[in-house]
Amino acid sequence: ICCLENSAWANIKCWTNEDGVRECGNKIPPEYSQGASVKISRGGVVIGEEEAAKSLETIRKEKEAAIKAEESRKADQALLKTFSSTEDLVLARDRKIEQINKEIVLLESRIGKLDENLLKLKLRIDANKNGAPAGNNDLNENAQRILLQIKESRQFIKTKENERNDISLQFAQDIDRFNNLVKPNR
């Protein structure tokens, strides 16, 4: 009986029930098995502790954080492999912005030519109203097509301006990150 008692006391575990009351016994009931528990020696001293099992939400968040940390590490490595100095980053940014600026200039030039064509069409439409031969329907359709092209070109310019702003913002973040990564090595 002595040995059985020692064995029993060595396996005493305590847990907290749903009412917040501490309970102890040889086995933790299944409904509390995922919660925190403590193992107590014969003399009543805590000899081991078990943390509560992580919830699925906690596991999901930890996994997402690990993935994000790995992505950040890879992005840092790519940044350091691609650029050797802040000046390299600035030059790359300026090249991209200059390319976008050239595209915008070309689009604005195209809009100017479309505006000229539209003006000529409107003059022909007005002339046809004053006794010139019929054919205004085709001219009106052409005018509508030109107006649509002008509208699409202006929208594309706005898209390019947004892209230019995004590039500036991204490179500003990359420059800050690059400086933080290389700072300890200086």
Side-chain angles (χ1 to χ4, degrees):
I1 292 183
C2 168
C3 294
L4 289 176
E5 284 183 27
N6 285 339
S7 171
W9 269 104
N11 290 325
I12 294 295
K13 296 184 179 178
C14 296
W15 62 91
T16 303
N17 69 19
E18 71 268 4
D19 298 323
V21 175
R22 185 174 183 184
E23 295 179 341
C24 298
N26 292 339
K27 289 185 178 179
I28 298 174
E31 63 268 24
Y32 303 116
S33 64
Q34 298 299 308
S37 64
V38 292
K39 192 174 187 181
I40 300 177
S41 72
R42 181 177 178 193
V45 176
V46 173
I47 56 172
E49 295 185 35
E50 292 286 329
E51 291 183 18
K54 295 178 182 177
S55 70
L56 291 176
E57 180 66 15
T58 299
I59 293 169
R60 183 187 63 76
K61 286 181 180 179
E62 287 176 352
K63 187 175 181 178
E64 287 175 359
I67 290 170
K68 189 174 181 180
E70 179 62 16
E71 288 172 353
S72 179
R73 186 189 65 75
K74 286 180 180 179
D76 289 348
Q77 284 180 334
L79 188 63
L80 291 171
K81 285 181 181 179
T82 306
F83 302 101
S84 60
S85 68
T86 303
E87 292 77 20
D88 289 347
L89 281 154
V90 170
L91 288 171
R93 178 201 62 204
D94 291 349
R95 279 192 301 269
K96 286 186 175 199
I97 288 175
E98 182 59 28
Q99 180 60 38
I100 290 172
N101 287 339
K102 287 178 182 178
E103 291 176 39
I104 290 172
V105 167
L106 287 173
L107 287 165
E108 288 170 342
S109 173
R110 181 173 190 260
I111 290 172
K113 289 177 182 175
L114 289 170
D115 281 336
E116 288 175 18
N117 290 342
L118 184 61
L119 181 59
K120 289 175 187 176
L121 267 175
K122 286 182 179 179
L123 291 173
R124 286 181 63 197
I125 291 169
D126 289 343
N128 284 348
K129 287 181 185 175
N130 296 328
N136 274 358
N137 283 343
D138 288 344
L139 294 176
N140 285 331
E141 287 176 15
N142 285 341
Q144 291 304 313
R145 276 195 290 273
I146 290 173
L147 284 171
L148 181 62
Q149 289 174 356
I150 290 170
K151 179 181 176 187
E152 288 172 347
S153 294
R154 286 190 176 131
Q155 288 173 340
F156 197 64
I157 287 174
K158 288 191 185 311
T159 299
K160 286 297 179 180
E161 289 170 342
N162 289 337
E163 184 180 335
R164 182 177 56 198
N165 293 338
D166 291 345
I167 285 171
S168 293
L169 179 63
Q170 183 61 53
F171 269 92
Q173 292 170 348
D174 287 347
I175 289 168
D176 284 345
R177 184 68 185 148
F178 182 87
N179 288 333
N180 287 334
L181 291 170
V182 298
K183 187 182 277 184
N185 297 332
R186 288 185 178 172

